[in-house]
Every structure is written in C-alpha cells, then in structure tokens.
Amino acid sequence: KSNKEEDNSGNASTIAVLEKPKTKKPPLYRVIILNDDYTPMEFVVYILQAIFGFNRDRAQQIMLAIHTHGKGVCGIFTKEVAETKSAQVNNFAKDNEHPLVSDIEQVEEDK
C-alpha cells in the first residue's frame, strides 16, 4: 500500500506501508513402501539407503516395519520431493524386476 501525504513545502511524498505476507507451510507427504511377498529384504534395505539416505541399521529397522505391518514410512517431504522419491523407488524396483511399490499420502495438518 502507499499513502500520499504532503510535507510542509507542499511537495507530495509517498510512504510505503509494509504488510507482512501471509505465508503458509506447504503440505507435507509421506512416502510409503508397501510390503509384498517377493521382493528380497536386502533390496528394500538397499533402496532405503540409496534413495532415502538411511544408515544400514535404520534401513533394516524400517524394512522390518514394512515386512511386519504391511507398509512403512520412508520419509516426509514436500509433494514434489515425495513424488520424485516414490517414482525413484518404483522405477528402480521395476528395472530390477521386483514388484515393490511405493506411494505417497498427505500428512494431515494439526489444527
């Protein structure tokens, strides 16, 4: 916004009024790997290390959670990053002839 005011000499000057922009955090998405009965556990551990950057111990813990619970969260990212990582998992699994599938789901915001 700008407001015009006149100073004592009669000249108009402009005063800028800054408004704080209303910023909203982008929605976040979980990358989920779904369990199947065919993909070797070591392959899942490798994906968790190569694509998501987990160390071997953490990758094994997540792989066991996927195996035990039918699916597991590999990370939480902005939508574009989540979509990219999910596609990397799916393409890498397909290229290596494994039926492993990942997907993304939106994280519900706390109200």
Side-chain angles (χ1 to χ4, degrees):
K1 290 181 183 176
S2 69
N3 298 325
K4 294 232 180 234
E5 291 184 1
E6 292 206 7
D7 62 21
N8 293 341
S9 62
N11 296 328
S13 63
T14 302
I15 299 171
V17 179
L18 296 178
E19 289 183 359
K20 189 170 182 176
K22 291 173 179 66
T23 56
K24 185 178 169 193
K25 289 183 181 175
L28 296 176
Y29 291 78
R30 291 181 194 93
V31 177
I32 309 282
I33 289 184
L34 306 174
N35 189 47
D36 65 68
D37 294 331
Y38 305 101
T39 304
M41 291 180 176
E42 274 304 309
F43 185 78
V44 177
V45 169
Y46 177 78
I47 279 183
L48 290 167
Q49 290 180 281
I51 295 176
F52 297 95
F54 292 109
N55 65 34
R56 183 160 182 78
D57 287 344
R58 186 70 182 119
Q60 286 181 316
Q61 290 172 352
I62 295 168
M63 176 274 298
L64 287 172
I66 294 166
H67 182 71
T68 306
H69 302 289
K71 67 180 184 177
V73 177
C74 307
I76 298 176
F77 308 95
T78 58
K79 185 174 187 180
E80 293 74 18
V81 173
E83 287 173 338
T84 299
K85 289 194 178 282
S86 181
Q88 287 174 325
V89 170
N90 296 339
N91 292 334
F92 190 68
K94 186 178 177 184
D95 291 348
N96 287 274
E97 300 181 359
H98 294 300
L100 187 70
V101 174
S102 73
D103 201 359
I104 69 170
E105 62 183 31
Q106 187 168 355
V107 175
E108 296 303 317
E109 289 184 34
D110 296 333
K111 303 256 179 203

